Amino acid sequence: MTEITYSLAALGWGPAFAAQLDLEEMETLAPMRVAAVHRAAVDLLGAEGARRAECAPGLSTAELAVGDWALLDRADGRLHRRLERASLLSRRAAGEGREEQLIAANVDTLFVVSSCNADFNPARIERYLVLARQSGAMPVLVLTKADCAADPADYARRAGAIDRSLAVETLDARDPVQCARLRDWCGEGRTVALLGSSGVGKSTLINALTGAGQATRGIREDDAKGRHTTTARSLHAIPTGGWLIDTPGMRALRLHDAAEGVAAVFADIAALAADCRYGDCAHEAEPGCAVRAAIAAGRLDAARLARWRKLEREEARNTESVAEARARSRALGRLYRSGQAAGRRKREDPRRGG
């Protein structure tokens, strides 16, 4: 990496991080920002310059995310401690366990990127917003490919219906003038991250914000789905003084421990439910259900209620313990085997015709 030094303030350092160091650590350890994570080492930026370092015993690269602050020992050149984060974007890894896959840390603003074409999907956008609300980062919805839509304002209206408090920007990511509208979130020491499906224009947007020359790839015209361009997370400098963390395109985003995020994104349903006659109302056929009344009056989309229910069920499943997950898997296996056995008995019954 190029030997460039950065002031801590320029990298996003603040009082909440400084308060985590004692006097001895201030003298012997140097705060560094994680720019990229590799299997056995991490790339770092700081007042000590840009360098690659390994972790000391007791700390693993698996515990670090791009955007983290960690302490580098000036004597042995190794990372000794990660500081507590201001925000953390993560998802549940594949498999039955509850392993957490880290996406990015200490993000101030999350640009949730969708596009004004067939990729626009309220359910997926809501899922990204849940992740943002749960992480502590402020979400901003960026709708790209506005130049390809007959009525881009319609996409903005549909996006606004998802969350009335959500900032929405509709633009052509290839136009520097339009992308300049995002500068307010990219000021000195501020960190933004991009999250969205492949093909929505994230790499083009990164090029516009950072002046970099990332490769971009086209989309398949039949379904507007893109091909992956970014394959790893990394920290990019923005000319306005901020920092940008890119992430690979994610069409599948498994949530975990996201009850607060779900509640925040679907606060409108919770507000309606408070007026239901029964406290345990399931919003189905109960009398005095304020949620069903809002749907009947056109104030709430029935599809949004269905999506909320789906995320609630998923959240319950994904936050269960490993033992609970394995028990459920065994129970489903027994049920499947029982069904197979019943089928065999039925086929072998001589009293059956045929």
Side-chain angles (χ1 to χ4, degrees), residues 6 61 177 196:
Y6 299 91
T61 58
V177 175

Side-chain angles (χ1 to χ4, degrees), residues 6-353:
Y6 299 91
S7 72
L8 294 183
L11 285 165
W13 183 261
F17 300 117
Q20 299 180 46
L21 279 69
D22 58 33
L23 290 177
E24 182 179 352
E25 288 177 324
M26 290 179 183
E27 295 177 356
T28 60
L29 303 178
M32 304 287 286
R33 191 108 193 250
V34 175
V37 179
H38 308 286
R39 185 179 299 275
V42 293
D43 292 336
L44 303 166
L45 297 175
E48 305 291 319
R51 64 180 64 189
R52 180 169 293 186
E54 297 180 353
C55 294
L59 181 65
S60 166
T61 58
E63 303 170 49
L64 297 171
V66 173
D68 264 327
W69 283 98
L71 301 179
L72 181 76
D73 191 308
R74 294 186 176 93
D76 65 18
R78 294 187 297 180
L79 289 179
H80 281 254
R81 184 162 71 89
R82 174 186 60 77
L83 299 183
E84 291 299 315
R85 299 153 171 145
S87 65
L88 175 65
L89 296 167
S90 67
R91 64 176 176 175
R92 184 180 177 184
E96 287 190 359
R98 290 188 61 191
E99 288 80 9
E100 181 181 28
Q101 183 181 15
L102 306 181
I103 299 174
N106 299 314
V107 173
D108 297 299
T109 303
L110 179 64
F111 288 146
V112 175
V113 186
S114 185
S115 51
C116 299
N117 57 18
D119 180 83
F120 184 90
N121 185 317
R124 189 184 308 128
I125 292 172
E126 287 167 345
R127 186 175 292 267
Y128 288 146
L129 293 179
V130 168
L131 175 66
R133 299 293 189 189
Q134 189 69 29
S135 74
M138 183 184 73
V140 174
L141 182 59
V142 180
L143 299 177
T144 62
K145 305 184 188 294
D147 55 305
C148 299
D151 185 10
D154 178 61
Y155 286 94
R157 287 191 294 270
R158 291 163 60 188
I162 295 173
D163 185 341
R164 302 295 181 186
S165 65
L166 181 66
V168 180
E169 293 288 347
T170 305
L171 49 81
D172 176 359
R174 299 170 303 177
D175 186 338
V177 175
Q178 294 185 41
C179 290
R181 300 204 300 266
L182 303 179
R183 287 178 182 169
D184 287 347
W185 293 285
C186 305
E188 179 79 16
R190 305 289 293 174
T191 301
V192 299
L194 269 65
L195 196 62
S197 302
S198 299
V200 297
K202 296 200 312 303
S203 293
T204 303
L205 192 57
I206 289 173
N207 291 344
L209 292 174
T210 66
Q214 282 205 9
T216 60
R217 298 183 184 177
I219 60 174
R220 301 193 296 267
E221 294 299 334
D222 57 341
D223 59 4
K225 294 179 181 178
R227 299 172 174 83
H228 290 280
T229 298
T230 303
T231 57
R233 301 169 185 88
S234 53
L235 192 66
H236 305 264
I238 303 175
T240 52
W243 296 90
L244 183 147
I245 300 175
D246 187 21
T247 64
M250 296 182 188
R251 193 161 289 272
L253 178 61
R254 302 178 72 201
L255 302 174
H256 73 109
D257 297 330
E260 293 182 5
V262 173
V265 172
F266 292 90
D268 55 334
I269 294 179
L272 289 168
D275 292 329
C276 290
R277 182 180 302 176
Y278 302 107
D280 60 349
C281 183
H283 318 308
E284 293 177 348
E286 298 89 343
C289 175
V291 174
R292 302 303 305 183
I295 292 175
R299 292 183 287 111
L300 177 67
D301 186 358
R304 180 166 169 80
L305 177 64
R307 295 194 300 268
W308 168 73
R309 282 177 169 148
K310 180 179 179 180
L311 283 177
E312 285 273 281
R313 291 192 299 269
E314 179 182 334
E315 162 62 16
R317 289 195 305 269
N318 286 353
T319 55
E320 65 188 1
S321 68
V322 174
E324 290 170 335
R326 289 174 177 167
R328 178 168 53 80
S329 179
R330 287 195 296 268
L332 290 174
R334 287 194 297 269
L335 181 63
Y336 175 71
R337 291 191 295 273
S338 175
Q340 283 186 317
R344 285 194 300 270
R345 289 194 298 271
K346 188 174 182 180
R347 289 192 297 272
E348 294 168 359
D349 190 341
R351 294 173 294 180
R352 291 181 68 236

